[in-house]
């Protein structure tokens, strides 16, 4: 199963959702010096923000490195082939199931309620509630997974990949059924993540995504190839399983994802309660919070199902090109938007609870300025310098050009998607799940309309552009509504005036460096050019970087 798409959103299951769980959940009173006033506590808490953001970004970065490694190897083994298209399309419905039941929806609902239980009662009561939710989620996940497996064939033929050939649809069906095994494992590991974070433990949950990638690498390097990889004098074993080897590697990775976190449960004296009880107050509260969020996550994931469904009617390789383009765009989006939004949620939730409206407004304004200062240069730099990086996938010139254009289409939405990460959380912090729900619905509708139109004329790149514009529109709507309620939240004129000209200048510099007649690797030259452009932009975004350090 692919560790990619939203949330890792690239083209698979987990990165879409597991990223939502890496949320350092900051308890306002836990661990503070005794007899401290509110102001000193607030300052102490804010000083942790930059550290937490850095830690999350580092682990996200490590996962991206390992993820890129297995995606590059997959690309070099399978190219933009029907088998790889089938693999990428097969991930969508299992990914949707995970996201709805135990992904972002459950993370938003479970962590606050568990934290409240831990504070007002004790750890045993919290584990009791955790067990009841885990039992319910496991039963529901297994039940829906069985239904998806049973009706996999008609779903693939009419929803997932209606434009594929009969043989390719059969491959999608088989892979999707195997992916559901990983989905069940991920449903459990996602719950474990939430339980550990409530106990202020983040190391093992942060390591888990990399364990998944190690399983994927084993599948790509050992299970999939016909001929073993050569490492010096050593020839690695090979099982010749083809694309199924990648799928089984994903299942192994999902198991490792779960196992590495189990010692944390032992550390915090987890005990299992073999019960559910839908009338339990904590269970009812979690389910009530999950309702609107489940529908919102459904719309988020529906974008990816629609994306690949529309692309399945285009030329072979379009689905995979969209997956790889999304992967490239997700690197800056994850390190900027997801990391900041993840760490910011506990802080702004506390500010709302304490009725600190000015602090809430200031936190959002600072986050918006930081994101703009980072994503505007990143968008232009990556758009200009992406071609040498795409060449590492080993596609032919036509395939490379397709992925480059698709990536540029997605980059149109880099700023918007990063801003949505914060804006949506701002509404959840206010316990308002309806506005993000409505915004997500409009995003899906906008994307489908634009994707059908752009896809028919621009191909896969048009679909990517449609998604970029849809996310930009969602960000504009959410921040407009926030600014109406909290005047001054979107006061970012000074940042825009300073950053936009610098970003354009840096983009021209990157383009110039790439034209140099030097005898070095294309990839090395591309990395060097991006580095030079980034260094030039750095002095001009220092005010926002200082804001990040102070938050």
């Amino acid at each position: 199963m692919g560790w990619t798409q939203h949330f890792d959103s690239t083209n698979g299951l987990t990165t879409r959702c597991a990223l939502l769980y890496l949320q350092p959940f900051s308890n306002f009173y836990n661990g503070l010096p005794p007899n401290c006033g509110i102001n000193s506590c607030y300052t102490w808490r804010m000083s942790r923000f930059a550290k937490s953001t850095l830690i999350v970004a580092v682990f996200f970065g490590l996962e991206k490195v390992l993820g890129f490694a297995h995606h590059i190897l997959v690309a070099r083994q399978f190219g933009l082939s029907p088998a790889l298209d089938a693999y990428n399309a097969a991930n969508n419905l299992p990914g949707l199931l995970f996201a709805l039941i135990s992904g972002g929806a459950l993370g938003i609902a479970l962590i606050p309620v568990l934290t409240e239980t831990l504070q007002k009662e004790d750890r045993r009561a919290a584990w009791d509630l955790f067990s009841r939710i885990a039992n319910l989620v496991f039963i529901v996940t297994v039940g829906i997974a069985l239904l998806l497996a049973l009706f996999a064939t008609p779903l693939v033929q009419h929803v997932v990949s209606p434009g594929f050939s009969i043989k390719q649809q059969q491959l999608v069906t088989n892979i999707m059924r195997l992916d559901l095994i990983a989905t069940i494992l991920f449903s459990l590991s996602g719950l474990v993540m939430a339980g550990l974070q409530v106990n202020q433990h983040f190391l093992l949950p942060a390591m888990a995504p990399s364990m998944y990638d190690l399983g994927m690498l084993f599948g790509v390097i050992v299970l999939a190839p016909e001929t073993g990889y050569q490492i010096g004098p050593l020839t690695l074993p090979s099982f010749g399983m083809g694309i199924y080897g990648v799928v089984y590697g994903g299942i192994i990775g999902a198991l490792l994802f779960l196992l590495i976190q189990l010692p944390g449960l032992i550390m915090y004296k987890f005990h299992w309660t073999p019960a559910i009880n839908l009338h339990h107050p904590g269970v009812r509260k979690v389910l009530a919070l999950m309702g609107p969020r489940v529908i919102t996550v459904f719309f988020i994931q529906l974008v990816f199902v629609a994306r690949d469904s529309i692309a399945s009617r285009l030329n072979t390789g379009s689905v995979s090109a969209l997956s790889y383009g999304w992967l490239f765009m997700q690197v800056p989006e994850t390190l900027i938007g997801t990391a900041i939004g993840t760490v910011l949620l506990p802080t702004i939730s506390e500010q709302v609870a304490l009725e600190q409206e000015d602090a809430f407004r200031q936190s959002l304004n600072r986050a918006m300025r930081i994101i703009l200062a980072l994503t505007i240069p990143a968008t232009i730099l990556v758009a200009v310098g992406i071609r040498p990086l795409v060449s590492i996938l080993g596609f032919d010139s036509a395939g490379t050009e397709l992925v480059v254009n698709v990536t540029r289409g997605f980059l149109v939405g880099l700023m918007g998607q990063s801003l949505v990460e914060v804006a949506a959380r701002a509404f959840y912090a206010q316990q308002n799940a309806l506005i993000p729900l409505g915004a997500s619905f409009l995003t899906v509708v906008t994307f489908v309309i634009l994707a059908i139109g752009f896809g028919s004329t621009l191909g896969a790149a048009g679909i990517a552009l449609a998604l970029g514009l849809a996310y930009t529109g969602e960000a504009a709507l959410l921040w407009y509504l926030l600014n109406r309620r909290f005047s001054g939240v979107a006061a970012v004129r000074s940042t825009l005036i300073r950053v936009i000209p610098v970003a354009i200048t840096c983009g021209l510099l990157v383009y110039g460096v790439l034209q140099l007649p030097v005898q070095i690797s294309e990839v090395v030259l591309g990395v060097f050019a991006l580095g030079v452009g980034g260094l030039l932009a750095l002095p001009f975004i220092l005010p926002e970087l200082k804001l990040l350090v102070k938050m």
Side-chain angles (χ1 to χ4, degrees):
M1 194 170 287
W3 174 269
T4 42
Q5 252 168 254
H6 201 60
F7 298 27
D8 189 9
S9 353
T10 9
N11 53 32
L13 165 66
T14 343
T15 305
R16 297 182 192 176
C17 306
L19 294 184
L20 293 180
Y21 279 112
L22 299 181
Q23 298 183 3
F25 199 85
S26 155
N27 184 334
F28 180 66
Y29 296 104
N30 211 13
L32 292 177
N35 303 319
C36 67
I38 290 295
N39 290 336
S40 61
C41 290
Y42 176 78
T43 302
W44 179 87
R45 184 174 79 250
M46 287 295 97
S47 68
R48 295 183 61 188
F49 181 87
K51 296 178 183 178
S52 298
T53 303
L54 178 61
I55 290 171
V56 172
V58 166
F59 279 108
F60 283 178
L62 174 61
E63 189 281 322
K64 288 297 182 184
V65 170
L66 293 174
F68 259 108
H70 89 247
H71 281 295
I72 289 169
L73 291 174
V74 168
R76 289 183 174 274
Q77 283 191 42
F78 298 99
L80 295 179
S81 63
L84 189 57
D85 276 354
Y87 167 77
N88 288 321
N91 288 323
N92 283 316
L93 286 185
L96 175 61
L97 171 60
F98 172 72
L100 292 179
I101 296 179
S102 56
L106 187 59
I108 292 291
L110 179 60
I111 291 178
V113 179
L114 277 181
T115 301
E116 181 183 39
T117 304
L118 189 62
Q119 288 181 343
K120 294 184 177 180
E121 299 182 49
D122 55 24
R123 179 169 282 116
R124 186 173 184 84
W127 284 133
D128 176 76
L129 174 59
F130 175 89
S131 298
R132 295 174 188 274
I133 296 297
N135 296 338
L136 177 61
V137 166
F138 181 76
I139 291 172
V140 172
T141 303
V142 171
I144 297 179
L146 290 175
L147 288 175
L148 287 178
L150 182 62
F151 294 101
T153 298
L155 285 171
V156 168
Q157 291 175 345
H158 302 292
V159 178
V160 177
S161 51
F164 285 177
S165 66
I166 298 298
K167 182 178 180 180
Q168 199 174 6
Q169 287 178 343
Q170 184 59 53
L171 180 59
V172 173
T173 301
N174 295 338
I175 293 174
M176 191 173 83
R177 285 170 173 159
L178 290 172
D179 278 349
L180 290 168
I181 299 173
T183 300
I184 294 171
L185 292 172
F186 278 126
S187 70
L188 294 175
S189 58
L191 285 163
V192 175
M193 276 186 164
L196 293 181
Q197 288 169 1
V198 166
N199 285 277
Q200 301 295 312
H201 182 89
F202 309 113
L203 177 61
L204 294 179
M207 293 172 61
S210 295
M211 296 300 102
Y212 171 81
D213 283 307
L214 291 178
M216 288 293 295
L217 284 170
F218 177 77
V220 176
I221 294 173
V222 176
L223 300 181
E226 294 285 346
T227 304
Y229 278 79
Q230 193 79 26
I231 303 178
L234 179 65
T235 301
L236 296 179
S238 60
F239 289 78
M241 299 173 67
I243 199 66
Y244 285 104
V246 181
V247 178
Y248 286 117
I251 296 173
I252 294 171
L255 181 61
L256 294 175
F257 193 106
L258 173 63
L259 293 179
I260 193 173
Q261 298 181 83
L262 295 184
L265 293 181
I266 298 173
M267 182 188 311
Y268 291 98
K269 299 179 181 179
F270 167 72
H271 77 279
W272 177 57
T273 301
I276 295 178
N277 186 8
L278 295 177
H279 298 290
H280 185 283
V283 174
R284 295 179 67 178
K285 186 176 290 188
V286 171
L287 294 179
L289 290 173
M290 278 187 68
R293 178 60 182 171
V294 163
I295 302 174
T296 301
V297 173
F298 171 77
F299 287 139
I300 292 172
Q301 297 303 309
L302 189 60
V303 166
F304 299 102
V305 175
R307 184 196 75 179
D308 289 351
S309 179
I310 295 171
S312 72
R313 295 172 169 85
L314 303 178
N315 295 332
T316 297
S318 295
V319 172
S320 296
L322 285 164
S323 296
Y324 280 108
W326 182 259
L327 175 66
F328 280 108
M329 189 280 292
Q330 276 287 289
V331 174
E333 194 283 327
T334 300
L335 298 182
I336 299 171
T338 305
I340 291 175
T342 293
V343 181
L344 186 65
L345 176 60
T347 296
I348 58 179
S349 297
E350 292 164 4
Q351 291 166 350
V352 170
L354 295 171
E355 299 183 355
Q356 297 176 341
E357 184 172 312
D358 287 340
F360 180 78
R361 179 187 294 106
Q362 187 179 65
S363 294
L364 292 181
N365 177 256
R366 287 180 173 182
M368 188 178 192
R369 291 173 61 187
I370 292 166
I371 288 174
L372 290 174
L374 295 174
T375 57
I376 292 174
T379 297
I380 295 178
L381 292 178
V382 178
V384 174
I386 189 62
R387 180 174 279 100
L389 303 183
V390 172
S391 67
I392 200 172
L393 297 175
F395 296 152
D396 59 23
S397 59
T400 298
E401 190 66 21
L402 179 60
V403 176
V404 167
N405 291 332
V406 164
T407 304
R408 287 171 174 165
F410 282 133
L411 284 169
V412 170
L414 172 59
M415 179 182 67
Q417 189 175 343
S418 298
L419 289 173
V420 167
E421 296 274 12
V422 171
R425 285 170 169 84
F427 285 103
Y428 288 122
Q430 301 172 71
Q431 299 185 23
N432 183 342
L434 294 180
I435 288 180
L437 170 59
S440 294
F441 172 74
L442 291 176
T443 298
V444 174
V445 174
T446 302
F447 166 67
V448 171
I449 293 173
L450 293 178
I452 292 174
F454 291 170
S456 62
T457 56
L458 302 175
I463 296 175
L465 176 61
L467 188 54
L469 292 174
Y471 273 123
T472 301
E474 181 180 358
L477 173 62
L478 291 176
W479 282 97
Y480 168 75
L481 294 175
L482 284 172
N483 197 59
R484 285 188 60 186
R485 172 67 176 83
F486 303 96
S487 179
V489 157
V492 294
R493 182 179 178 183
S494 62
T495 298
L496 293 175
I497 291 175
R498 176 171 18 92
V499 171
I500 291 176
V502 171
I504 295 173
T505 303
C506 293
L508 292 173
L509 176 62
V510 170
Y511 178 80
V513 172
L514 292 176
Q515 307 309 309
L516 295 176
V518 292
Q519 299 299 317
I520 60 175
S521 165
E522 184 180 13
V523 175
V524 173
L525 180 60
V527 172
F528 174 74
L530 290 174
V532 170
L535 288 175
L536 177 61
L538 186 60
F540 297 92
I541 63 174
L542 277 180
E544 285 73 25
L545 294 179
K546 290 178 180 178
L547 285 179
L548 176 60
V549 172
K550 293 177 182 179
M551 285 185 72

